[in-house]
Amino acid sequence: MSTAELALLGGAPVRTVPFPAYDVIGREEQDAVQSVLESGILSKYLGTWHPHFFGGPVVQEFERRWAAMFGAKHAMAVNSCTSGLYAAVGAAGAGPGDEVICTPYTMVASVTAALVFNAVPVFADIDPETFNLTAETIRSRITPRTKAIVVVHLFGQVADMDPIMELAREHNLVVIEDCAQAPWAEYKGRKAGTLGHMGVFSLNYHKHIHTGEGGVVVTNDDGLAERVQLIRNHAEAVVEPKGVDNIVNMIGFNFRLGEMEAAIGLCQLDKLDSLIRQRQSNVAYLERRIGSLPGLRPGPVANGAEHVYYVHPFLYDQSVTGLPRQVIVRALKAELPHATRREDEGTLIGPYYGKPIYLMPIFQKMIGYGDKQCPFKCPLYKGQADYSQGICPNAEAVMGGGVLFHELMRPGMTHQDLDDVATAFHKVFANLDALRVWHSQNP
Ligand SMILES: *Cc1c(COP(=O)(O)O)cnc(C)c1O
């Protein structure tokens, strides 16, 4: 264990050579894109009721393969997870006057999906160890206006879905799983995304597998599948010729994925299982080395849930180290380099998401559509939106300093790379005295 001087205090860093890029695009993807280009058909969607309403051959093959692999009846490709969440909330029928229960600890699209349909997001608290919504926290937020719940499997760990689904059945609520960070994760032997009424995945380049940008919505419900397909592709122009009676939220969008992205997606599906296993084995390797530092505890994996590690989270206890999380993060970042292709983001260690979503300006000022505080103060809305500090104490504590995570366990990291990460953690935690002195002089 090194007690050399910390890089933050002027010593030599553990490492300066950049970490490898997360490189999952190879020869297969290049060939697949090449054949789409040679076919001359980069998309085949038509925004009318026609066989091409469902897109081109590669998009449809990608959807069939995704559905089969994940054990879902329907898979629908979209151009992002954000689009998929919008389509899912629209398909659920949420609208003005309705509430959608959301988590404050997520990427904003899990919440803006409700706003897009003029429904009001209501925030339930998270479990402080798994960072996910629970049936208990959701129950306390259900009102006669509740229409749907967006459950996010944060960081790659599946929420405890059985009690959530039971609660949803009791109250006739639609459950949408945001699986952007949890593709291929399992819960009691079933894939995340197939546990609720709809599951939404991301194919953005930050995620486990990607097509640059893209997403997928899965469901076992024929009616919801049709509604997602309509919202994806100009519903307003299609409902009449298709003979669709329920036109609620049938103002469509263009959320269509291209053939090249779908071709890449097919190759990525072949790699998914292996990429997930590598993440899990890198995390196990790291936790053997840095699993018991003072004040730092690996985020526990709950019973029945599987973790696929979009990031690798630790619970951080400031009362043990006497140092705010930000000091530890700064010290760690100073010891380690950035990753190739993500130079501008600095060392991939941090808390990232700044604060609970309800503390962001659109909620604090309640300004959504136009300048008349719609949907928060819409006359059709009979509830009272509450976004005050303190409504989700666990989320505020965790986001405010109780969690620390990193991405330095992605496939492509060798054992030598992981050893450097572990050395940096050990070096920082062996120098807490020096850090406390530094912190008292640099508050
Ligand atoms: C990345 C992410 C999204 C958005 O995905 P895009 O494909 O970039 O739109 C939504 N929810 C969560 C939890 C995410 O991590």
Side-chain angles (χ1 to χ4, degrees):
M1 190 181 304
S2 171
T3 50
E5 188 171 17
L6 292 171
L8 182 65
L9 309 183
V14 168
R15 165 169 172 158
T16 55
V17 179
F19 286 117
Y22 185 53
D23 209 355
V24 295
I25 301 297
R27 189 75 241 167
E28 312 74 27
E29 284 80 2
Q30 290 175 29
D31 291 346
V33 168
Q34 187 64 32
S35 32
V36 170
L37 284 170
E38 280 164 13
S39 78
I41 298 167
L42 275 57
S43 177
K44 211 163 176 91
Y45 273 108
L46 285 177
T48 57
W49 185 227
H50 179 280
H52 295 165
F53 168 72
F54 296 103
V58 188
V59 161
Q60 293 192 40
E61 186 189 344
F62 174 57
E63 292 177 335
R64 282 192 297 273
R65 178 93 64 84
W66 189 291
M69 274 180 64
F70 283 74
K73 188 164 178 199
H74 304 275
M76 291 152 290
V78 284
N79 57 9
S80 72
C81 176
T82 302
S83 305
L85 289 163
Y86 289 10
V89 170
D98 294 332
E99 292 171 347
V100 175
I101 296 178
C102 300
T103 169
Y105 197 5
T106 183
M107 185 264 172
V108 285
S110 327
V111 180
T112 53
L115 285 178
V116 164
F117 290 92
N118 282 293
V120 172
V122 171
F123 293 92
D125 208 355
I126 56 166
D127 176 274
E129 302 241 316
T130 65
F131 318 118
N132 285 326
L133 294 180
T134 69
E136 294 75 52
T137 65
I138 293 167
R139 185 188 298 278
S140 69
R141 296 297 198 256
I142 293 177
T143 74
R145 297 172 294 278
T146 311
K147 186 83 179 184
I149 311 167
V150 178
V151 178
V152 179
H153 305 311
L154 199 72
F155 300 153
Q157 169 159 225
V158 189
D160 191 9
M161 288 299 288
D162 277 352
I164 292 175
M165 293 313 293
E166 201 178 306
L167 184 65
R169 270 189 295 277
E170 243 172 73
H171 295 271
N172 199 25
L173 308 176
V174 178
V175 176
I176 297 163
E177 298 176 74
D178 179 342
C179 305
Q181 302 186 2
W184 214 233
E186 286 191 0
Y187 173 83
K188 302 184 180 175
R190 287 163 65 199
K191 294 283 180 243
T194 65
L195 307 157
H197 299 98
M198 287 172 275
V200 189
F201 297 85
S202 176
L203 294 168
N204 166 270
Y205 73 100
H206 279 159
K207 300 295 166 32
H208 300 66
I209 57 170
H210 77 94
T211 61
E213 305 287 350
V216 175
V217 183
V218 299
T219 183
N220 291 324
D221 183 301
D222 296 343
L224 289 173
E226 181 186 51
R227 288 172 60 74
V228 168
Q229 287 159 347
L230 284 161
I231 292 170
R232 167 177 73 178
N233 187 11
H234 297 296
E236 68 283 353
V238 181
V239 284
E240 189 166 40
K242 192 171 191 290
V244 174
D245 295 329
N246 177 5
I247 64 162
V248 169
N249 291 341
M250 287 299 121
I251 306 169
F253 293 85
N254 175 351
F255 288 160
R256 307 175 308 208
L257 190 73
E259 294 281 288
M260 287 194 289
E261 286 80 3
I264 296 170
L266 277 163
C267 302
Q268 291 280 287
L269 279 177
D270 291 337
K271 303 178 180 178
L272 176 58
D273 187 69
S274 146
L275 288 169
I276 298 294
R277 301 303 151 218
Q278 289 172 61
R279 278 178 193 255
Q280 291 170 334
S281 100
N282 287 349
V283 163
Y285 183 84
L286 270 180
E287 287 190 357
R288 279 196 293 278
R289 300 210 39 199
I290 58 171
S292 54
L293 294 167
L296 203 63
R297 179 161 61 92
V301 180
N303 234 352
E306 185 184 1
H307 214 307
V308 295
Y309 297 107
Y310 175 56
V311 303
H312 181 199
F314 288 85
L315 294 158
Y316 178 68
D317 187 348
Q318 174 172 348
S319 71
V320 175
T321 60
L323 286 163
R325 168 186 59 187
Q326 206 44 46
V327 175
I328 300 286
V329 169
R330 273 189 69 177
L332 287 167
K333 280 174 173 277
E335 300 296 340
L336 295 169
H338 57 258
T340 301
R341 284 198 209 134
R342 290 178 68 183
E343 289 83 356
D344 305 339
E345 296 175 60
T347 310
L348 299 175
I349 297 178
Y352 309 135
Y353 302 118
K355 53 187 174 188
I357 291 196
Y358 53 81
L359 295 179
M360 295 168 77
I362 58 171
F363 296 99
Q364 288 301 301
K365 297 185 195 308
M366 294 201 200
I367 300 290
Y369 285 95
D371 62 358
K372 306 206 172 44
Q373 300 200 291
C374 183
F376 310 102
K377 299 274 170 80
C378 165
L380 294 171
Y381 179 56
K382 304 304 180 198
Q384 188 119 51
D386 180 4
Y387 302 127
S388 34
Q389 184 117 27
I391 57 171
C392 297
N394 290 343
E396 289 178 21
V398 163
M399 297 182 80
V403 69
L404 182 157
F405 54 85
H406 71 91
E407 294 181 55
L408 300 172
M409 71 312 150
R410 297 166 307 168
M413 294 284 285
T414 64
H415 278 189
Q416 179 58 55
D417 294 327
L418 297 172
D419 287 341
D420 287 342
V421 174
T423 301
F425 273 79
H426 277 284
K427 184 177 170 190
V428 167
F429 280 84
N431 282 285
L432 293 177
D433 285 339
L435 269 182
R436 280 187 286 264
V437 172
W438 177 85
H439 179 56
S440 67
Q441 293 160 351
N442 301 271

